[in-house]
Amino acid sequence: MPSPLEHPIESLPGIGPRTGAALRERGYQTVADLLWLMPKAYDDQRHPTPIHELQVGEYAVVEGKVRATRRFPRGSHMGFEARLEPDEAPNEGAGYRELKVVWFRAVPGLSQRFEVGGAVRVAGCVNEYRGVATIAHPEVLTEGAAGSIEPRYPEIPGVRRKTLRRAVRAAVHRVAHEVPDLIPEELRAEVGIGAIGEALASIHVPTPAVVEGHPGRSHPAQRRLALEELVLWELALRLRRARERGGTAQPFEPEPAVSKACAAFPFELTTAQRGAITALSSSLNRDEPMRRLLQGDVGCGKTAVALVACAQVVAGGAQATILAPTELLADQHAATLQPTAEKLGLRVGVFTGALSGDRRRAMLDRMATGAVDVIVGTHALLSGEIRFANLGLVVVDEQHRFGVAQRLRLGTRDSKRRPHLLVMTATPIPRSLALVLYAGLDLTTIDTKPPGRLPATTRMLPRKNRHKVLRQLDRALDADGRAYVVCPAISSSDELVGVDHAYAEMKEHFGAEVVGQIHGRLSGDERRMLMREFAEGALKVLVGTTVLEVGIDVPAANIIVVEQADRFGLAQLHQLRGRVGRAGQRSACLLTHTEPLLPDAEARLQALCESDDGFRLAETDLELRGPGHLFGYRQSGTSGLQFANLTRDGALLRRAGELANRMVRSDPSLSAPRHAIARAAVRRWERFEAVREDAG
Ligand code: ADP
Ligand code: MG
C-alpha cells in the first residue's frame, strides 16, 4: 500500500483524467506534490467593496442587485452578461454606478443564479470596459455566507481555478499532517520551528493572521517553508556535487607561464586581477579538478585573467576552451585575445555554429590533433562530435543561468580525466547569493576596476524629449565617439519602441551611411560585419536589441541610449551601461522612459543614476524584486526559490547549510534509512527543478 501522500492526484475530488494530465505535465503527480503548489496571493472575500469604490486592477468581492441580463453570441458559443447595481444608491458623482459581470463562454445555470432583481455576490479582478467596471468570468459566491480567505494559485493551463483550490484543500485535509519532516525533531525544537505539515496547512488554509501579516514580513509558516526549501536546495547541490566528483585533472605548473602572460598585456594588471590570477594558478596546479567562479563588475577585466589561466594550461601541453553565450562575443573574444595570444605563442581558433563545410571540418581536426591551443566558441562546442586532443581547462564566460556549468560534460566523455572549470559571471551578485547559486564552486571576486575609469554619467528622461537625446548624441559623436541605441523590441508595436523606429530616427538625424542596426534576425556574418564597421568607425551609431547586452567591447563607444529603459531589469541596464567608456573616456548613459513611470521602474532607474557599483545594484535589485505580494514568493527564474529571500535570510541559509552538512557528512549519498525522507524530497525537488529549467 503506498502512503496516502503518494496517492495519485486523480484521487482528489474534482480531478479527472484531463485535469490530472494537465497537472502531471507540470510535475504534480501525487497528492503530496500538490501541497507544494504555493499560492501567489490571497483573495480576501470577507469584506465586500461597494461598487462606487471599485478600482481597476484590484481583486474585489462585490454584492449587488441584478438589474439586467443578456445572452450574446460569441464565436460558436453563447456568452452571458449581467449588470449589477448597488443595493443602496451610491453618493452622487463618486466612482462607478454599476458592475458588469461577463462570461464569454457561458456555463450552465447562470440565468438561474442571476435572476433580475435578485441579490448576488461575485468576486474577481476588476477591469474597465467602455467606462463600465467589469469582471470577466467572476467567481460566484454563496450569497450571504460568511466570506473566506481564498488562496490564489498560479494559473495552470487546463485546470480550473476552483477545481485546483478544492483539490489542494482536500490534499491538506487528507495528508498535510503526515508530511514527513526533513528536519529532525530535536533540531526543530532547538531552533524553535514548527512541523512542516502545520506550515503547509496554514499557507493553504490561511488564518486571518497569515494574510494580514505585513507582506514580506516573515510569518513563522513562511520561515519554516523557507528553511525546508534551503535545506533541500543545499542537499540537492551536495548530492549533485558528490555525483560529479571523482576523476582527476592534470596539474599545471604556474611558472614561468603565468609571469610571462602577465607581462604580455598592453596594460598593468590591477591588484585585484593579480589576486585572482594567484588563486586560479594554484588551483590549476592541483590534480583535483578546479571548479571556480570568477565574478566582478562589468569592465573589471575578467578576460585578461582567463587568458593567463589559458596560458598556464597550454604551457603544460594541454588545450583550453572559452565558451561565450553568443557568436558575436566568441568572435570578439578571439579578436581581442589574438594580439596578446600571439605574443605568447598561443594558437587561437574559433568554433561556432556559423562554421560549416570544410572550415568546420578543418577546425574539428585541429582541435582533435592539438594543432590549436585556445578554442573560443559557443554552445556548438558542447555537441557530441567534438574531440579535443587534450583539454585542460574550460572557461565559461558571461554565465547567465545556473545549470549550464553543471550540465557541462565537455571533454569528460572519453576519459576519467576532467578539465578544470572556470565560470565567469556576467552580473555581479551578492556573496550570499553566489554561494547558494553556485554552491560547489570556489568563489573569486575582482572588486576593483582598472584605474582611470570614469563612471558613465547616467540620466533618466521621458522618451518624448527627443531633442535632448539627439543633442547628447551629437555631442558624444563630436568627441569622436560611438553610440549605441538599445530598444526593447525589433519591431515597434503599440507598446514598444522597436529597432525599426529608432533606426529610422537615427538615419534621419545622422545620415544613413553612419547608422547600422543589429538584432537577432541578422545572420552571424551580417552581425560580424556590422560590429567591425562600428569598431573601426565607418558606422557611428548602432541601433539594436539586447544582443548588445553582454560583453561587447568597443573602446570608442562613449554613449548608450536605452529606449524605454523601464522595460529592462536593473542588472541588464547595468550591463548595457558597461558597454561605454571602456577606454577611460567620459561617457554617458541615457535612460528614456515611457510616462507615467511605475514606482518600481522609477526606483530601478533611480538606483542606476545614483550608483555605478554592480554589487550594490545587484542587492538593490534583489530588494526591489523582493517579496512580491505574498511573503517571499518570487517567480524570479534565477534561483527558483519560492520562500527564501537570499538577501535577508542569510542566517537561515547558514543554518540550512549546517543542517545539510550534518546529514551528508555521515551519509554522503543519503542512502541510509534515516534519510529516506530527505532522499525522496530531494528527488522531488530535482524533478521540479528540471521542469522549471526546461520551461526556461
Ligand atoms: P569584463 O570583466 O567585463 O569581461 P573585460 O575583460 O572585457 O571586462 O575588460 C574590459 C576592458 O578593460 C577591456 O578593454 C580590457 O582590455 C581592459 N582592461 C582589462 N584589464 C585592464 C587593466 N588592468 N588596465 C587597463 N585596462 C584593462
Ligand atoms: Mg567579459
Side-chain angles (χ1 to χ4, degrees), residues 563-585:
E563 303 286 7
Q564 290 182 313
D566 46 314
R567 296 281 174 165
F568 296 84
L570 187 45
Q572 213 175 14
L573 290 169
H574 181 60
Q575 274 294 322
L576 286 166
R577 179 169 62 178
R579 301 306 114 218
V580 300
R582 292 169 78 85
Q585 75 274 45

Side-chain angles (χ1 to χ4, degrees), residues 267-270 273 297-303 450 453 553 582:
F267 43 72
E268 195 66 30
L269 292 170
T270 62
Q273 281 171 315
D297 206 348
V298 200
C300 71
K302 295 186 286 287
T303 318
R453 294 278 171 83
D553 189 17
R582 292 169 78 85

Side-chain angles (χ1 to χ4, degrees), residues 44 47-49 54-55 58-62 122-126 135 141:
D44 190 343
H47 313 290
T49 307
L54 291 176
Q55 297 284 337
E58 290 196 350
Y59 179 89
V61 175
V62 183
V122 295
C125 198
V126 181
I135 298 181
L141 305 176

